[in-house]
Amino acid sequence: MRNSGRGGGRHGPREGGTGGGACDNPSRIEPGGGHGAHGKGKFGVRRGAQARQGAASGAEAAVGRNRILELTAEFLKTHPVSELSTVNIAKVAGVDPALVRYYFGSKNGLLAELISKSTGERTALSLRYLSDAGTADKKLKQRVRSVLQANVDSPYYHEGMVARIFNADDDAARAILNDLAQRGLYLAEKFMADGERSGELRAVDPAFFHMLVVGACSFFVTGRPLQEAMRGRKVNDRTLDAFAEFFVDVVLNGLKPRP
């Protein structure tokens, strides 16, 4: 596949890590390595038998890290990221704040892991659509529609990404940012390469293309009040479907091979 403006040619598939190059299975990328029960965790959070007040006991033992991540996602659907704290999430989960700190270390650790988990889920869904047999317009419509829905279902994602990842300067933020970049680049390169092989698309910069998809889908949801003010009605599923159709029509007409 030709590559415009990125230099060095297309990255070959590469699994694991967060260095240069896309991976052949981006849903398996885990920035920062694994997270054992002792020492430094996935995002540099210290864990161990003596962490904070020690391991959980009783009813708290039934509330694992995944459940806390689920409850955090639910909390952020109705609260801004600025209101997120280990104390608030502990109240929602019905556990001692020490348990939340034991798993994640801090609010930042919790938010970072939630963003990483959400990114992995989004990538897996997009990859499934892009791997389906079908035309380029079908694949792109499915991907755009899934990104729109994910942004509706997880309104905290963009705000959390900006607050915790884009505006931060720590190892955890850099690992997630690099991971996010490689996942997005892989998806864009796969879509473009498949379209070129089928003769449906011409080569364009995959990084620009990814930013176009993500930017359009993100602002369409975060800018919902503007959309509703222009149309005089609420945004609903039919609106999302119509935007996906519009996006595909406009973008793919511009990407068709030129004589």
Side-chain angles (χ1 to χ4, degrees), residues 26-31 35 42-43 64-74 77 104 108-125 150 154 156-157 161 165 172 175-176 179-180 183:
S27 65
R28 294 178 59 187
I29 295 178
E30 295 184 8
H35 48 82
K42 184 176 180 182
F43 297 102
R65 63 188 307 112
N66 286 337
R67 180 55 179 159
I68 291 178
L69 288 171
E70 291 172 357
L71 292 171
T72 302
E74 289 299 316
K77 288 182 180 181
F104 305 102
N108 282 340
L110 174 60
L111 185 56
E113 191 153 339
L114 178 62
I115 290 172
S116 183
K117 180 175 182 291
S118 297
T119 299
E121 292 168 349
R122 288 169 177 236
T123 303
L125 184 59
S154 307
Y156 64 84
Y157 185 78
M161 186 68 71
I165 308 304
I176 295 175
D179 177 48
L180 180 69
R183 290 174 188 270

Side-chain angles (χ1 to χ4, degrees), residues 159-233:
E159 181 188 3
M161 186 68 71
V162 171
R164 178 65 188 96
I165 308 304
F166 295 166
N167 292 337
D169 185 21
D170 57 75
D171 290 343
R174 284 189 290 271
I176 295 175
L177 179 60
N178 204 15
D179 177 48
L180 180 69
Q182 297 309 315
R183 290 174 188 270
L185 190 58
Y186 175 84
L187 293 172
E189 288 182 333
K190 176 174 175 52
F191 175 73
M192 297 305 306
D194 289 348
E196 285 185 72
R197 279 194 295 269
S198 67
E200 297 173 273
L201 306 176
R202 61 185 174 87
V204 296
D205 188 312
F208 285 164
F209 179 75
H210 178 66
M211 293 300 289
L212 176 65
V213 173
V214 173
C217 292
S218 296
F219 186 72
F220 187 85
V221 175
T222 58
R224 179 185 293 191
L226 176 61
Q227 179 72 213
E228 292 175 344
M230 290 190 294
R231 294 185 173 277
R233 60 178 182 272

